[in-house]
Every structure is written in structure tokens, then in C-alpha cells.
Amino acid sequence: MLEGNRVSRISVRGFAVASATAVTAVGSVVGVASGSVAQPNNDAEATAADTTLLADLPAGEQAQVQTASLTQQADAVAIQADASAKKDAEQAARVAAAKTAEAKKAEAEKAAKEAKERAQAKEAASRSSSSFPVQSSYTVAQIQAMAQQMVASGQYQCFSNIVDHESSWNYQAVNASSGAYGLFQALPGSKMSSVGADWQTNPATQIKWGLNYMNSRYGSPCEAWSFWQANHWY
């Protein structure tokens, strides 16, 4: 500490003098910022002869040296903080970019899948019931084979689930109470005549009608199946 004119001879290593007096930086100063008295240091006393000591400076310049040192320390801390903040910002930007790219990839894959399903549905819907030979009767396996050719592959399972619950794939099923008829229990069954006059005897005609109904009313067989699960009718 400074007491009157008595000044401790503390080395000014590490300090930069912001004044006309040249001070050589030769080490570190202990206790300058807090004003405490430095303990004797044999190594410090053994410095080169041209080392400038804090005690050798006028009182006013001692304050300048201390201020300059503290300023340098503060600048160094600020530079380090800026570098750390920049690094964190760059890392955050990379993470955000990766997430955005992943989201765009998922959207593109979803769009591609939907486009493929629409193309399949269009191709399947273009198959007319007349594409299948007329028979006097049909097995469940034959009817399901027809449906697999007329319904898009991504929608077939949902389509099949509805038929399973409505008629168990019996194209001549009749509801004794309501009169609902066929694979989809259309009510009245004559609704299916809109796609073919042979709606009573041709399962391909019924399949085409049922697919059109699900697409127009719900958007797809899977949307129709979701509604069926919630309400047990469609």
C-alpha cells in the first residue's frame, strides 16, 4: 500500500504504461488491483537492471500503470467472451441448419410418397370392372384379387378392413333389417348402379363403387377406415 511518500518497490511486470514514461513489462504484479502490499520475492528482486519498478514511478503514473493493466485485463476478457459467443452462435446456426435440412428432407419424402400413392390410385381407378371376366360366382380370394388390382397398394389394407367388417367379402350379403347390400352394405344397394348395371352380381362393380365412395366422401380408404374405427360406420 501507499503510505505518504513510502512506496513499496513492486515490479510492474505485465503492465503497459499509458504515459510518456517508458515502463518495461517484465512480469506480473501481485496485489496491485487490490492495493495490498506485495510479499518479498527473491526472483523479482533478481530481474535485469533495466527493469522499471512501480515504486520508481511518480504517484500519478503509478495510477496510470494500474489503470492500464486493469483495462488490458478487461479487454482480454471481453475478447475471449466475444470469441466464445461467436463459437456458440456458429454451433447454434449449424444445429438449426441441420434441423431445417432434416425437416425439408422429411417433407420431400412425404410429398414423394403421396404423389406415388396418387399415381397408383389413379392407375387403379382407371381399371374398369369390365376388365375382369364375368363369372356366375366368385370366391373370397378372387374378389380380394380384384380389389388388390383396383385399390392403390398403400390403401388396400384400410379398404380390406372396412370390407371385412361390413360383409366379410360376401358380395351378395344382405342386411335383413335395413336391406343394405353387397361388399360395402350400400343402402340402398341400388346406389351402386351408378357405376354398373350388374352391381348385384359383379363384385368388381361393387369394388369400384366402394372405392369411389371412400375417395369422394373421406379422401381415401384409410381416412374412411379412421372414421369407421371412431364411429363403427362410414
Side-chain angles (χ1 to χ4, degrees):
M1 297 185 62
L2 304 179
E3 298 178 2
N5 294 325
R6 295 178 63 188
V7 180
S8 298
R9 296 175 60 80
I10 304 175
S11 173
V12 291
R13 294 181 182 180
F15 285 120
V17 179
S19 67
T21 302
V23 178
T24 303
V26 295
S28 61
V29 176
V30 178
V32 172
S34 64
S36 61
V37 178
Q39 298 298 318
N41 189 318
N42 293 332
D43 292 336
E45 295 298 332
T47 55
D50 61 351
T51 299
T52 301
L53 301 180
L54 183 62
D56 295 333
L57 299 176
E61 291 184 6
Q62 292 177 21
Q64 289 181 327
V65 172
Q66 294 173 336
T67 300
S69 176
L70 293 175
T71 299
Q72 285 182 336
Q73 293 177 39
D75 288 345
V77 171
I79 291 172
Q80 184 177 10
D82 288 344
S84 179
K86 182 178 179 181
K87 182 178 180 181
D88 291 343
E90 291 174 348
Q91 178 63 20
R94 285 193 292 270
V95 172
K99 288 183 178 180
T100 298
E102 189 66 24
K104 288 183 177 180
K105 179 182 178 182
E107 290 176 0
E109 291 176 347
K110 181 180 179 181
K113 181 180 178 181
E114 291 176 347
K116 182 179 179 180
E117 289 179 350
R118 285 194 296 271
Q120 290 176 336
K122 183 177 181 180
E123 180 181 357
S126 66
R127 183 180 290 275
S128 170
S129 58
S130 61
S131 300
F132 302 98
V134 177
Q135 301 176 193
S136 59
S137 62
Y138 302 84
T139 65
V140 169
Q142 289 173 327
I143 297 172
Q144 290 175 335
M146 290 180 186
Q148 287 176 329
Q149 293 184 61
M150 297 175 70
V151 180
S153 58
Q155 298 290 322
Y156 176 76
Q157 188 58 56
C158 298
F159 184 92
S160 176
N161 291 341
I162 291 177
V163 179
D164 282 339
H165 285 81
E166 292 295 320
S167 65
S168 298
W169 292 92
N170 179 359
Y171 69 102
Q172 293 178 318
V174 178
N175 185 303
S177 299
S178 65
Y181 186 84
L183 295 173
F184 307 96
Q185 292 295 280
L187 184 64
S190 58
K191 284 182 178 181
M192 294 184 286
S193 63
S194 61
V195 296
D198 58 351
W199 58 271
Q200 290 177 296
T201 58
N202 191 340
T205 297
Q206 294 185 17
I207 291 169
K208 185 173 183 179
W209 178 87
L211 181 59
N212 289 345
Y213 173 79
M214 293 178 198
N215 286 335
S216 62
R217 185 175 179 86
Y218 299 100
S220 71
C222 283
E223 291 297 328
W225 172 235
S226 293
F227 184 90
W228 196 102
Q229 288 177 293
N231 301 277
H232 299 290
W233 61 274
Y234 74 112

